[in-house]
């Protein structure tokens, strides 16, 4: 039977090539993702290890008790401790440092990689006895020696377009500073190599910025040869005040840093894995369809084997051996292709401003096992069902006819199973519409409901084929007899038609659902920003900056073209026993910069002792305009009676409550601080934005955003979702095309005599080609309609969860995208059938009719 399986594979190598390619794609994505993940993790570990190379122990301050000033953390790390540690047995050298965070502006004045607040390390350049800091080898210029000088790494210099001698603007936690760039270094710090920046100061400047003069934030120790890190850490710990400082081994710090960066970049591994899962899921239907058709076409061959003594088990084993051989070939090819995928993923997922760590490919045992398990496992499982079905057919019955229609019992079982799954999936999704909460549990439940719905459509597809194809057959009516033949050919075997369309059903459902959700969310975010914001620009803080300099607010107000500039102090208040956010505003100008829809009261009455509430907050507290509530504002410890001056509809710009800024700022945890400036200019332009940036000193810790910028920032995850959607669409197109090509090719072989008869009675080659293409288009239209139905229903149900997290969310149809999906699907059908159609047209009528 093994020899029979091998001969069958060689006999149908052209047909099985499509199956091999489908399995190969799935294996490639799985193996590529695993190799990419292992290689990236190894690169991060290597970078972290190199970053801490030579560091045996690091002494650092412990987290201060609640209420202790931040600057008191490093007071224990001073020069006296450095000298004491140098005398510890086993310590080869001591290198103190003062590090923190610094955000830089690029040469054009824009914040440099400001979205990576965790990846902007700043440090002191501390030269050793040789005058060099081994952690930061110089490649150009010299090290910073005074408060006016700065050094950066090569990646930061390239991203910011800096050259030696340039003036660089930067900020740590307050006003902008300017430094002259005097040196460029290299670093192995994975925070920097993962897309961050590095700024180096002289020791005194770094101490002033990140600790206190004469003190450090950490002290690194190197060990003498033969001294274990753990043993040295124990000796050092004995000298430290246990409540204020601790000693950590260099290997532990490297592992922790690699773990932290791995957690922040783990999203890069999810997207390829999703692609792999989708390609395998869709490809499995192609494999099942291919083996079903191959087994059906070989019914007589199988019957002959049964007649000469082959048992059912031997027939099943023969088909499974065939699937095993195909799976092995596909796994090997997929593994090689996966290595190529792993090598290009860092370039595809990373950018010049956001690079991923690079290093040699790491091929672990799980990648190899995954290739074999996925490729062979999926193929063998996909071939198991058709092989069992073929083995159950009696030899005489199989010899009588190559095509066996499904039994009534099997159709009834399929109908019942499909309806049960449909009710479960639809019911599950409908039940979630009342949740109105986008919690992780609800999202997972929604994904499960969508999966059940898609599986139900696939199970019911053979039963739905006849009515739906008769409907889609309207597309082929204008083609006359040829169109009629194409429709009847698609209806001839509903199971085959459904299996061929399965890939399109899945991909269309996923892409259509994601497109609707993405478009609706984008519309909601746009509406949210436009409905609540009356200002043209919002200036706000980023990173570790607590507030905006009041002098900068005044400069903004005096900027040419600015009509209104309102400072906003964001704080908290306890209202009726519940902590709520409150924004302190200027009652005289708030109407110019916020679009507030008042339900009662007037903002003209907003002054100390009076507050305005959102509708939800007022309803929760059971008060109206003119009523009174007890409230405690900010750091104040006293509850006071406040009169409700007005009630406004919920507004994301105004938060839960509004108060007079003079009162909110006085009681905030940072007295008189400003967190936002709402600016009304009347025009939005690059020149206006540049003037506003100049007014705030080009501080990289401040964001100057117009409405589009705000929407784009909030829609960051939506953009990733849309990117994923197009990727899934591409995978679906490729695999669906393979399925249609495979089915059309086998159908042509199966109908050789029929095609010969059509040629003999007068149909020309162009007519044969058009018939095959129209049949493929009919199948594609069938899959597209079912997929759209499932995808749109799922998007409606899942949209209810988004509505609970986003008040402005409402279902919005991206008609252009949906139309593109339909056109693309029909084009897939026509293009995928091109080669089989040409092959069918090339058949000689006499030879085709004479074929046994």
């Amino acid at each position: 039977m093994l020899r029979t399986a091998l001969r069958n594979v060689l006999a149908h190598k052209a047909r099985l090539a499509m199956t091999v390619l489908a399995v190969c794609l799935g294996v490639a994505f799985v193996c590529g993702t695993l190799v990419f993940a292992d290689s990236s993790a190894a690169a991060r570990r290597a970078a972290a290890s190199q970053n801490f190379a030579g560091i045996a122990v690091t002494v650092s301050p412990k987290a201060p008790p609640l209420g202790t000033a931040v600057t008191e953390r490093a007071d224990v790390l001073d020069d006296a401790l450095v000298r004491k540690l140098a005398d510890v047995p086993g310590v080869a050298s001591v290198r103190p440092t003062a590090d923190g965070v610094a955000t830089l502006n690029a040469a054009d004045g824009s914040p440099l990689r400001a979205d990576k607040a965790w990846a902007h390390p700043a440090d002191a350049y501390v030269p050793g006895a040789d005058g060099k800091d081994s952690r930061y080898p110089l490649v150009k210029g010299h090290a910073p020696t005074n408060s006016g000088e700065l050094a950066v790494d090569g990646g930061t210099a390239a991203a910011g377009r800096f050259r030696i001698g340039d003036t660089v603007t930067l900020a740590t936690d307050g006003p902008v500073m300017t430094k002259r760039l005097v040196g460029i270094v290299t670093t192995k710090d994975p925070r920097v190599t993962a897309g961050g920046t590095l700024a180096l100061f002289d020791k005194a400047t770094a101490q002033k910025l990140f600790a206190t003069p004469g003190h450090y934030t950490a002290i690194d120790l190197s060990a003498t040869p033969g001294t274990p890190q753990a043993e040295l850490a124990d000796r050092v710990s004995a000298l430290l005040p246990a409540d204020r400082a601790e000693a950590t081994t260099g290997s532990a710090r490297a592992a922790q840093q690699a773990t932290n960066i791995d957690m922040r970049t783990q999203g890069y591994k999810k997207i390829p894995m999703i692609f792999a899962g989708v390609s395998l899921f869709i490809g499995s239907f192609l494999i099942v369809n291919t083996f079903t058709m191959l087994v059906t076409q070989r019914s007589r061959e199988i019957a002959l084997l049964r007649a000469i003594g082959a048992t059912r088990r031997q027939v099943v084993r023969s088909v499974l051996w065939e699937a095993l051989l195909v799976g092995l070939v596909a796994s090997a090819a997929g593994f090689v292709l996966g290595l190529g995928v792993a090598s290009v993923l860092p370039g595809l997922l990373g950018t010049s401003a956001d690079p991923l760590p690079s290093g040699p490919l790491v091929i672990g045992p799980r990648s190899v096992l995954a290739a074999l398990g996925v490729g062979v496992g999926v193929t063998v499982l996909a071939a198991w069902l058709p092989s069992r079905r073929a083995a159950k057919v009696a030899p005489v019955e199989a010899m009588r006819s190559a095509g066996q229609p499904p039994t009534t019992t099997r159709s009834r079982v399929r109908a019942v199973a499909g309806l049960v799954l449909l009710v479960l999936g639809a019911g599950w999704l409908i039940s979630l519409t009342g949740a109105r909460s986008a919690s992780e549990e609800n999202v997972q439940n929604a994904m499960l409901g969508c999966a059940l719905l898609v599986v139900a459509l696939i199970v019911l597809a053979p039963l739905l084929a006849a009515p739906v194809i008769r409907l889609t057959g309207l597309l082929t009516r204008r083609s006359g007899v040829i169109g009629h033949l194409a429709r009847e050919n698609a209806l001839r075997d509903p199971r085959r038609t459904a299996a061929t369309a399965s890939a399109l059903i899945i991909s269309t459902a996923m892409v259509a659902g994601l497109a609707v959700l993405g478009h609706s969310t984008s519309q909601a975010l746009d509406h949210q920003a436009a409905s609540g914001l009356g200002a043209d620009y919002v200036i706000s803080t980023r990173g570790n900056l607590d507030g905006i300099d009041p002098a900068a607010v005044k400069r903004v107000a005096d900027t040419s073209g600015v009509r209104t500039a309102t400072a906003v102090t964001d704080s908290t208040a306890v209202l009726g026993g519940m902590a709520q956010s409150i924004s302190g505003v200027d009652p005289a100008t708030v109407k110019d910069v916020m679009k507030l829809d008042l339900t009662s009261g007037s903002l003209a009455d907003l002054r100390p002792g009076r507050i305005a509430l959102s509708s939800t907050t007022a309803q929760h507290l059971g008060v109206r305009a003119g009523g009174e509530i007890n409230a405690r504002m900010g750091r104040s410890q006293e509850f006071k009676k406040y009169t409700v001056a007005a009630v406004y509809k919920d507004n994301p710009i105004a938060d839960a409550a509004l108060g007079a800024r003079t009162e909110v700022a006085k009681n905030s945890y940072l007295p008189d601080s400003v967190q936002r400036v709402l600016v009304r200019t009347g025009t939005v332009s690059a020149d206006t934005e540049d003037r506003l940036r100049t007014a705030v000193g080009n501080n990289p810790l401040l964001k100057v955003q117009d409405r589009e910028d705000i929407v784009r920032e909030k829609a960051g995850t939506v953009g990733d979702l849309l990117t994923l959607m197009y990727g899934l669409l591409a995978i679906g197109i490729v695999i669906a095309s393979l399925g249609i090509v495979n089915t059309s090719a086998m159908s042509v072989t199966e109908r050789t005599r029929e095609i010969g008869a059509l040629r003999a009675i007068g149909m020309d080659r162009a007519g044969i080609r058009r018939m095959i293409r129209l049949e493929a288009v009919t199948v594609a239209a069938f899959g597209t309609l079912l997929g759209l139905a499932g995808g749109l229903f799922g998007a409606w149900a899942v949209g209810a969860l988004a509505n609970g997290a986003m008040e402005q969310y409402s279902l919005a149809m991206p008609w252009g995208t949906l139309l593109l999906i339909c056109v693309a699907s029909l084009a897939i059908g026509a293009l995928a059938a091109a080669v089989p159609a040409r092959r069918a047209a090339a058949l000689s009528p006499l030879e085709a009719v004479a074929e046994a």
Side-chain angles (χ1 to χ4, degrees):
M1 299 308 292
L2 176 59
R3 192 184 314 168
T4 302
L6 182 58
R7 292 190 65 178
N8 281 328
V9 170
L10 297 176
H12 303 97
K13 50 183 177 294
R15 303 175 194 174
L16 290 175
M18 301 297 178
T19 305
V20 171
L21 185 55
V23 179
C24 180
L25 287 175
V27 172
F29 275 109
V30 171
C31 294
T33 301
L34 293 177
V35 172
F36 165 69
D38 291 341
S39 302
S40 297
R44 282 188 288 271
R45 287 192 297 268
S49 298
Q50 291 178 358
N51 189 42
F52 291 98
I55 298 177
V57 176
T58 295
V59 177
S60 56
K62 284 188 174 181
L66 191 63
T68 304
V70 176
T71 53
E72 294 180 13
R73 294 183 303 168
D75 282 354
V76 66
L77 307 185
D78 54 14
D79 290 324
L81 180 61
V82 170
R83 292 190 293 270
K84 187 184 297 184
L85 293 176
D87 296 332
V88 173
V91 172
S93 64
V94 181
R95 186 185 299 276
T97 188
D99 61 350
V101 176
T103 306
L104 288 72
N105 273 339
D108 61 2
S110 61
L112 185 59
R113 297 173 178 173
D115 58 319
K116 289 182 172 290
W118 57 275
H120 296 297
D123 205 348
Y125 188 94
V126 183
D130 58 355
K132 300 178 180 179
D133 190 331
S134 58
R135 299 169 302 172
Y136 307 112
L138 278 163
V139 295
K140 188 179 293 186
H142 63 83
T145 57
N146 58 62
S147 60
E149 296 180 342
L150 176 77
V152 300
D153 71 290
T156 301
R161 298 183 179 180
F162 301 139
R163 294 182 297 180
I164 297 294
D166 286 353
T167 298
V168 179
T169 59
L170 68 153
T172 54
D173 60 356
V176 171
M177 299 176 287
T178 58
K179 308 286 182 183
R180 188 169 67 90
L181 184 63
V182 297
I184 295 177
V185 303
T186 59
T187 179
K188 298 296 183 181
D189 191 330
R191 292 173 297 177
V192 181
T193 58
T197 63
L198 174 68
L200 296 177
F201 306 92
D202 67 286
K203 185 174 72 172
T205 301
Q207 287 178 325
K208 182 179 179 181
L209 290 173
F210 307 124
T212 55
H215 296 84
Y216 307 98
T217 57
I219 301 174
D220 296 327
L221 310 176
S222 63
T224 56
T227 303
Q229 291 187 358
E231 182 179 329
L232 184 59
D234 291 339
R235 295 175 189 171
V236 170
S237 296
L239 298 178
L240 302 176
D243 60 333
R244 300 186 65 190
E246 60 184 351
T248 308
T249 62
S251 58
R253 286 192 66 194
Q256 182 60 45
Q257 188 178 79
T259 300
N260 290 340
I261 295 180
D262 185 61
M263 291 176 60
R264 294 181 182 274
T265 57
Q266 62 181 344
Y268 291 113
K269 296 181 291 187
K270 293 181 179 179
I271 293 178
M273 190 60 75
I274 292 174
F275 280 33
V278 170
S279 61
L280 280 175
F281 186 58
I282 298 176
S284 63
F285 289 94
L286 170 58
I287 300 167
V288 172
N289 192 27
T290 300
F291 275 95
T292 299
M293 294 178 65
L294 286 174
V295 170
T296 301
Q297 289 181 355
R298 301 205 317 259
S299 294
R300 292 186 178 182
E301 175 188 325
I302 293 173
L304 182 60
L305 290 174
R306 293 288 311 282
I308 62 177
T311 65
R312 290 183 177 180
R313 288 186 178 180
Q314 286 178 315
V315 171
V316 172
R317 283 202 298 266
S318 173
V319 177
L320 293 183
W321 272 114
E322 187 176 338
L324 177 63
L325 294 173
V326 172
L328 287 173
V329 173
S331 297
F335 184 76
V336 174
L337 183 60
L339 297 181
V341 171
S343 64
V344 300
L345 276 177
L348 293 176
L349 297 177
T351 63
S352 58
D354 190 13
L356 294 180
S358 59
L361 292 180
V362 176
I363 304 174
R366 70 169 184 168
S367 302
V368 178
L369 293 176
L372 293 174
V374 169
V376 176
V378 170
T379 307
V380 171
L381 287 176
W384 181 66
L385 286 176
S387 67
R388 287 195 61 189
R389 190 179 303 132
K392 289 181 180 179
V393 179
V396 175
E397 186 180 1
M399 288 182 179
R400 185 184 309 123
S401 174
Q404 299 296 328
T407 64
T408 304
T409 302
R410 188 181 300 168
S411 297
R412 288 175 180 173
V413 170
R414 177 184 288 272
V416 171
L419 288 174
V420 169
L421 289 172
L422 183 65
V423 170
L424 285 176
W428 193 279
L429 289 174
I430 292 174
S431 67
L432 290 174
T433 58
R436 301 181 67 82
S437 171
S439 64
E440 183 176 355
E441 181 181 358
N442 284 339
V443 171
Q444 291 176 350
N445 287 333
M447 292 175 64
L448 176 60
C450 291
L452 288 174
L453 186 64
V454 171
V455 173
L457 289 176
I458 293 171
V459 173
L460 291 172
L463 305 177
L464 297 173
V468 175
I469 287 178
R470 287 192 177 93
L471 176 63
T472 59
L474 298 175
L475 296 173
T476 61
R477 177 180 294 178
R478 294 184 178 180
S479 298
V481 175
I482 293 177
H484 176 75
L485 288 174
R487 186 185 66 180
E488 293 304 313
N489 286 336
L491 288 172
R492 176 181 299 183
D493 189 343
R495 287 182 301 169
R496 176 187 299 177
T497 298
T500 306
S502 295
L504 274 178
I505 293 174
I506 299 169
S507 57
T508 303
M510 295 182 66
V511 174
L514 288 173
V516 172
L517 288 174
H519 183 70
S520 300
T521 303
S522 297
Q523 294 280 72
L525 291 171
D526 185 54
H527 179 70
Q528 188 180 68
S531 63
L533 183 64
D536 298 302
Y537 289 93
V538 176
I539 302 175
S540 56
T541 61
R542 78 165 96 234
N544 56 349
L545 184 63
D546 295 320
I548 302 174
D549 185 4
V553 177
K554 186 177 185 307
R555 291 195 301 270
V556 169
D558 294 337
T559 299
S560 173
V562 172
R563 298 179 183 179
T564 306
T566 297
V568 179
T569 297
D570 294 319
S571 186
T572 58
V574 179
L575 307 175
M578 181 175 59
Q580 295 280 11
S581 56
I582 186 170
S583 296
V585 297
D586 182 356
T589 59
V590 66
K591 290 184 178 180
D592 295 334
V593 293
M594 289 185 184
K595 294 180 180 178
L596 297 174
D597 189 357
L598 299 181
T599 60
S600 61
S602 172
L603 290 177
D605 296 331
L606 192 63
R607 57 180 182 269
R610 292 175 174 266
I611 60 175
L613 301 176
S614 67
S615 298
T616 299
T617 305
Q619 183 178 2
H620 178 78
L621 297 176
V623 295
R624 299 179 179 178
E628 292 185 341
I629 61 171
N630 288 322
R632 178 170 62 83
M633 197 170 293
R635 60 190 175 91
S636 173
Q637 300 299 315
E638 298 180 10
F639 277 90
K640 297 181 180 179
K641 283 190 177 297
Y642 285 86
T643 300
V644 178
V647 176
Y648 53 89
K649 291 184 179 180
D650 290 2
N651 187 312
I653 303 299
D655 290 333
L658 291 175
R661 201 184 80 81
T662 53
E663 184 174 21
V664 174
K666 181 178 65 176
N667 293 293
S668 67
Y669 290 96
L670 296 170
D672 299 324
S673 65
V674 175
Q675 279 68 49
R676 290 180 289 163
V677 181
L678 307 183
V679 183
R680 184 74 178 272
T681 60
T683 59
V684 175
S685 66
D687 290 339
T688 302
E689 183 175 340
D690 289 342
R691 288 196 296 269
L692 293 176
R693 288 190 181 279
T694 301
V696 295
N698 285 320
N699 193 325
L701 297 180
L702 293 179
K703 295 184 288 187
V704 180
Q705 299 174 299
D706 59 23
R707 295 185 192 183
E708 291 186 2
D709 293 332
I710 295 173
V711 171
R712 194 178 302 114
E713 181 181 65
K714 291 184 177 180
T717 55
V718 178
D720 294 339
L721 187 67
L722 293 177
T723 300
L724 176 61
M725 178 192 72
Y726 293 122
L728 295 176
L729 175 60
I731 292 176
I733 287 175
V734 171
I735 299 181
S737 300
L738 294 176
I740 295 175
V741 170
N742 221 9
T743 303
S744 299
M746 292 183 178
S747 178
V748 167
T749 302
E750 191 177 80
R751 288 157 32 206
T752 299
R753 298 182 68 182
E754 174 188 322
I755 293 171
L758 290 174
R759 290 291 314 281
I761 63 176
M763 184 178 287
D764 59 8
R765 292 184 176 182
I768 295 293
R769 287 196 297 267
R770 197 179 350 159
M771 181 185 69
I772 300 297
R773 285 198 297 266
L774 287 176
E775 181 181 344
V777 169
T778 301
V779 174
F782 167 64
T784 302
L785 281 180
L786 285 189
L788 282 176
L792 296 181
F793 181 82
W796 167 77
V798 175
L801 303 181
N803 185 259
M806 193 180 304
E807 291 295 333
Q808 287 77 13
Y809 183 92
S810 61
L811 199 66
M813 293 294 180
W815 297 112
T817 302
L818 296 179
L819 179 61
L820 179 62
I821 292 173
C822 295
V823 172
S825 298
L826 297 179
I828 289 170
L831 293 175
V835 174
R838 177 169 296 185
R839 179 185 172 189
L843 290 174
S844 170
L846 294 178
E847 291 179 1
V849 172
E851 185 175 297

